Amino acid sequence: MALCLAALTASPPVLADYPIASHRYLADPGFLTQNGRLYLYASNDDDNAIEGGYSMASYVGISTTDLKNWTDHGEVFRVPANASWASNSWAPTLIERHGTIYLYFGNGGSNIGVATSTSPLGPFQDALGRALVDRNTPGASGTDMWLFDPTVFIDDDGQAYLYFGGNGENNLRIARLNEDMISIDGSVIQSYAPNFFEAAWMHKRNGIYYLSYSATPSAGTPIDYMTSTSPTEGFEYRGTIAGQPPENNNNNHAGEFEYRGQWYHAYHNRQVATQAGIPTTYKRNLGLEALYHDADGTIQQVTYTTDGLPQLENLDPYVRVEAETTNAQSGIETEPCSEGGMNVSQIGDGDWIRVRGVDFGDGAESFTASVASGTSGGTIELRLGSETGTLIGTCDVPGTGDWQTWTTQTTTVSGASGVEDLYLVFRGSGSPLFNVDWWQFAGSGSTGGTGGAGGTGGATGTGGAGGTGGADDTGGVGGTGGGGENTGGMATGGMPPATGGLSGTGGVSTGGTMAGGVTTTGGWSSTGGNSTGNTSTTGGMASTGGAASTCTPPLVECSGACVDTATSGLHCGACNVVCPSGAVCSNSTCAATCAAGLTQCGSSCVDLVSDPLHCGACGSGCLTGQHCSAGTCVDTDDPAASSEDSGCACATAGSTKKPFGLALGLFALAVLAVRRRRTRSRRLLRGVSARMVRDSEEDTSELAGGRSVSRRAGAPSAR
């Protein structure tokens, strides 16, 4: 063990919200929110050769609670392993109904399948043994029709729909799904969209249906949209949601969704491949921006910014943090772990991981990591602010005899308190050096942040997405029992508890973010917390461009967006004033508690009696087609129904976990397959994230996205 005493350093300037999960090539994002976590699912461009075509055959899941630090859950679905009849899996879309998560996938441009799981981490398994939609489905076919890019939507009355299609203005299709979600009700509806190319997407807000899509290359491949008062007809073209993203100049696929009261626009571009200096067509990466609706129902056009999103909450280092939770990185990879979930692998000398907004509270005293090495190991340097910043400790990693033979190593640390960006810098001779599964600090400080998804296992093994002591209220992300599908987390083990949690009983807890309370001028006062005297973040949540609007009182305009500063935890009392982790916006002021009759859930004050997103308890959201009555989810068409009878999401659903006793040979083959698919382009990524960090420090201006588009070759085989 090694110890270095040093002073704190300042965090670097904020960075872009692309790329997300920069160690992977991912595209075509779909989303799911479960128990307070946001999951993005993506086509796995790691399956594609650098040149040679789109051959994605798997989906990767990543998740976050703070929008800055993302946990890699690995592959959640792969064909033909999880759907023997299929050879491709493109552009996922997911939704939960009655405790089952349904994943719809495009098998190239030929047909659409459906798979199911009871866990957001999968594995998802084929539900039918055949396609759900193909060219023989009544109403589905068309002239040069692409049967792909599905999006699933459940309306307030419980009726589910599937939108899909491509390659022609008359090739948009809408299918009614039966209650079982795996069969079609009647003939598919043929619809029209101006310049329709692909990537149909549906969301609903305030009674308005928004059908967005990627327009043709001749139109510049923007994400355009139509609106209607019906989910199936009467759509009127309204304009563009988002133009071409920066560093893209090719196909454009996006989705819009709501998370913690704010709407977002997820998309892909090609920045990582551009920075790596390789051909970019088949190597994409994910990005995220805020989305704003105007009072007249139109959408403000997305302005791509270098840091448009604030960190929603700090990360708690005093709970177990999966090593594959990153904000930025240089050189690393991830792979399936013998302990379940994923681990960081292929580590070389000088590689690093950054975790953003780590709240050390009153101070950390030690650091522990689970490590393995098939060679002689190396060291982990713990630094603040940058990869060359203040050294607070060094953890020795010994050889363990095998890359999946795990041991825990502990070292003392000094000089870490308050909120800092943490860098894990890896040192040693040769490559690879060692693997890391998880890490955790110990000390007198205890914060109210979260420690990343995954427990003892993460992706598909033991552990899971959460356990006790998670993100929102007492006992975990979605209530007592944590972020998983039942008490104890996603699978056996769950996330270790965090004293106090983010909110709920106990607030931020001893040694947490807040020390000094609420000030009457300047927002939330903190010592070693998010900021000094206020919570404004550079760039803020609001985009600085888009259409100008006149807001209807009590809404006010924040950089072109209409927001309620009396209740918005992202614009509390004034534009871009973000309440820190554990605080809420009450009557335009960041406060420790909510007004009488309301309960704190995250940074919002909600009525647990009637709020369908927090019905009876924080994070206990009602299913679509239900409403919250007297703190219980009931079917909208049956107000007398109980939460149990109606399948209320307030009740914990059953979970599945991958059998722990996997055959060693099968596990080794899985790891080898991942390494073979990704090693060709891996070293091209080394240093890319570091260059993007430096570039963003030099230029924090907004990036324009209006470049010309190179049309991809004709058909979805060139996706």
Side-chain angles (χ1 to χ4, degrees), residues 433-627:
L433 298 174
F434 50 85
N435 294 342
V436 186
D437 185 15
W438 57 264
W439 55 265
Q440 182 173 342
F441 283 84
S444 58
S446 173
T447 71
T450 58
T456 309
T460 54
T462 58
T468 58
D472 280 325
D473 53 3
T474 302
V477 172
T480 303
E485 291 298 316
N486 56 13
T487 302
M490 188 62 63
T492 305
M495 184 185 294
T499 304
L502 169 63
S503 60
T505 304
V508 182
S509 77
T510 304
T513 302
M514 190 271 286
V518 180
T519 62
T520 57
T521 302
W524 182 277
S525 173
S526 64
T527 301
N530 283 359
S531 60
T532 302
N534 60 61
T535 57
S536 178
T537 58
T538 303
M541 171 61 73
S543 63
T544 57
S549 64
T550 301
C551 301
T552 302
L555 302 182
V556 299
E557 183 174 332
C558 290
S559 301
C562 294
V563 300
D564 185 354
T565 58
T567 60
S568 173
L570 304 177
H571 305 280
C572 188
C575 295
N576 302 327
V577 176
V578 183
C579 293
S581 176
V584 294
C585 186
S586 182
N587 297 324
S588 301
T589 302
C590 291
T593 59
C594 295
L598 301 179
T599 300
Q600 177 183 342
C601 292
S603 63
S604 302
C605 293
V606 303
D607 185 354
L608 298 181
V609 174
S610 60
D611 192 319
L613 299 178
H614 306 277
C615 188
C618 293
S620 296
C622 297
L623 298 172
T624 301
Q626 296 180 327
H627 66 277

Side-chain angles (χ1 to χ4, degrees), residues 77 82-86 102-105 111-117 124-134 137 162 177-178 180-184:
F77 178 75
N82 301 127
S84 60
W85 57 271
Y102 296 86
L103 181 153
Y104 301 86
F105 63 97
N111 45 54
I112 296 169
V114 56
T116 63
S117 176
F124 289 84
Q125 299 290 347
D126 181 24
L128 293 173
R130 55 175 174 79
L132 171 64
V133 178
D134 59 23
T137 302
L162 195 69
L177 294 173
N178 288 314
D180 62 10
M181 302 295 288
I182 59 173
S183 61
I184 304 295

Side-chain angles (χ1 to χ4, degrees), residues 12-22 67-70 246-247 267 269 271-272 275 285-289 304-310 326-328 354 356 538-539 689 691-703:
V14 290
L15 303 174
D17 287 303
Y18 63 85
I20 293 170
S22 63
L67 302 184
K68 293 300 183 185
N69 300 301
W70 293 83
E247 308 288 352
Y267 63 97
N269 67 3
Q271 189 192 37
V272 173
Q275 292 281 345
N285 54 262
L286 298 184
L288 191 66
E289 284 287 352
Y304 297 102
T305 61
T306 55
D307 192 41
L309 304 179
T326 65
N327 170 252
R354 182 180 68 194
R356 188 164 170 181
T538 303
S689 184
R691 287 197 299 274
M692 289 187 286
V693 169
R694 290 192 291 270
D695 290 345
S696 65
E697 292 174 354
E698 296 169 358
D699 180 11
T700 58
S701 62
E702 296 174 358
L703 301 177

Side-chain angles (χ1 to χ4, degrees), residues 92-150:
T93 181
L94 300 92
I95 205 163
E96 183 206 11
R97 188 164 210 170
H98 304 316
T100 297
I101 301 169
Y102 296 86
L103 181 153
Y104 301 86
F105 63 97
N107 178 31
S110 301
N111 45 54
I112 296 169
V114 56
T116 63
S117 176
T118 56
S119 164
L121 306 184
F124 289 84
Q125 299 290 347
D126 181 24
L128 293 173
R130 55 175 174 79
L132 171 64
V133 178
D134 59 23
R135 301 191 188 281
N136 295 318
T137 302
S141 62
T143 303
D144 298 323
M145 179 80 173
W146 296 344
L147 291 177
F148 72 165
D149 285 4

